[in-house]
Amino acid sequence: MTDKKTAKARTSAPGEAKSPGRPTKYREEFPEQARKLCLLGATDAELADFFEVNPDTITEWKNVHEEFSVSIKRGKLQADANVADRLYQRALGYEHEDTHVSNYQGVITLTPIKKVHAPDTTAAIFWLKNRQAKQWREKQEVEHTGNLLDSLLAAVDGTGLKVVP
């Protein structure tokens, strides 16, 4: 049995091969795959599932392989920016070109049209609650100063009610 006081943990510098142990499953193509998955909204747990590793392994790969970490950050940042842009457009309302397809007596007609989407109140409220939380949150914080018991006793005093200990 190894004495805990004298046992030394094996450590290695980032990028340095660890031995002995199971060989890494990490591959050169993983950063690009991870970036694409993050563009689709994948979480670290979902990345771990895709790469068939433990979520802790994803964390280690991010620490050891800079290109993997950077790819994940870029994918998540771009995906978040895309969603924020679409939410913003919905909040304000937007227009876009489209084509109406019709079929009358076997003749197909393509008509260019402009679709108009009205502002979405729910999207606007969501945006404001997250961007300006202090002004738009529903929960109001009330700060109470003083002693609550003294305030209650003062309110009861003079009413004729008795305070029973």
Side-chain angles (χ1 to χ4, degrees), residues 7 13 55 58 60 70 82 93 107-108 119-120 135 139 142-143 149 164:
I58 297 297
E60 177 159 341
V70 169
N82 288 341
V107 178
I108 296 175
D120 183 336
Q135 291 99 331
K139 180 181 173 185
V142 178
E143 190 173 318
L149 181 58
V164 180

Side-chain angles (χ1 to χ4, degrees), residues 94-115:
Y94 63 99
E95 299 176 354
H96 67 91
E97 300 297 323
D98 202 352
T99 303
H100 179 262
V101 180
S102 60
N103 181 358
Y104 179 70
Q105 296 181 347
V107 178
I108 296 175
T109 307
L110 303 176
T111 309
I113 60 171
K114 183 184 285 189
K115 285 195 173 181

Side-chain angles (χ1 to χ4, degrees), residues 111-151:
T111 309
I113 60 171
K114 183 184 285 189
K115 285 195 173 181
V116 177
H117 299 271
D120 183 336
T121 306
T122 304
I125 291 169
F126 183 81
W127 178 271
L128 290 168
K129 281 183 179 181
N130 284 286
R131 299 281 293 180
Q132 298 179 9
K134 288 182 182 178
Q135 291 99 331
W136 288 90
R137 67 177 164 211
E138 292 176 21
K139 180 181 173 185
Q140 299 295 320
E141 292 187 24
V142 178
E143 190 173 318
H144 179 75
T145 59
N147 185 330
L148 181 59
L149 181 58
D150 289 342
S151 298

Side-chain angles (χ1 to χ4, degrees), residues 12-144:
S12 59
E16 183 179 304
K18 293 181 180 182
S19 63
R22 182 179 298 163
T24 184
K25 289 184 173 183
Y26 185 83
R27 299 287 173 257
E28 191 176 295
E29 61 272 11
F30 285 4
E32 182 61 14
Q33 290 174 338
R35 185 187 68 78
K36 288 178 180 177
L37 288 166
C38 289
L39 283 173
L40 297 172
T43 64
D44 285 0
E46 291 166 331
L47 289 174
D49 188 47
F50 176 81
F51 292 118
E52 297 178 344
V53 296
N54 187 290
D56 293 338
T57 303
I58 297 297
T59 302
E60 177 159 341
W61 287 352
K62 288 193 296 187
N63 292 333
V64 174
H65 303 283
E66 184 178 358
E67 69 278 5
F68 187 73
S69 178
V70 169
S71 291
I72 288 173
K73 287 176 186 173
R74 282 187 183 150
K76 288 182 178 183
L77 186 63
Q78 187 176 352
D80 291 347
N82 288 341
V83 171
D85 178 56
R86 298 307 183 275
L87 176 64
Y88 183 75
Q89 287 180 20
R90 277 203 64 163
L92 298 180
Y94 63 99
E95 299 176 354
H96 67 91
E97 300 297 323
D98 202 352
T99 303
H100 179 262
V101 180
S102 60
N103 181 358
Y104 179 70
Q105 296 181 347
V107 178
I108 296 175
T109 307
L110 303 176
T111 309
I113 60 171
K114 183 184 285 189
K115 285 195 173 181
V116 177
H117 299 271
D120 183 336
T121 306
T122 304
I125 291 169
F126 183 81
W127 178 271
L128 290 168
K129 281 183 179 181
N130 284 286
R131 299 281 293 180
Q132 298 179 9
K134 288 182 182 178
Q135 291 99 331
W136 288 90
R137 67 177 164 211
E138 292 176 21
K139 180 181 173 185
Q140 299 295 320
E141 292 187 24
V142 178
E143 190 173 318
H144 179 75

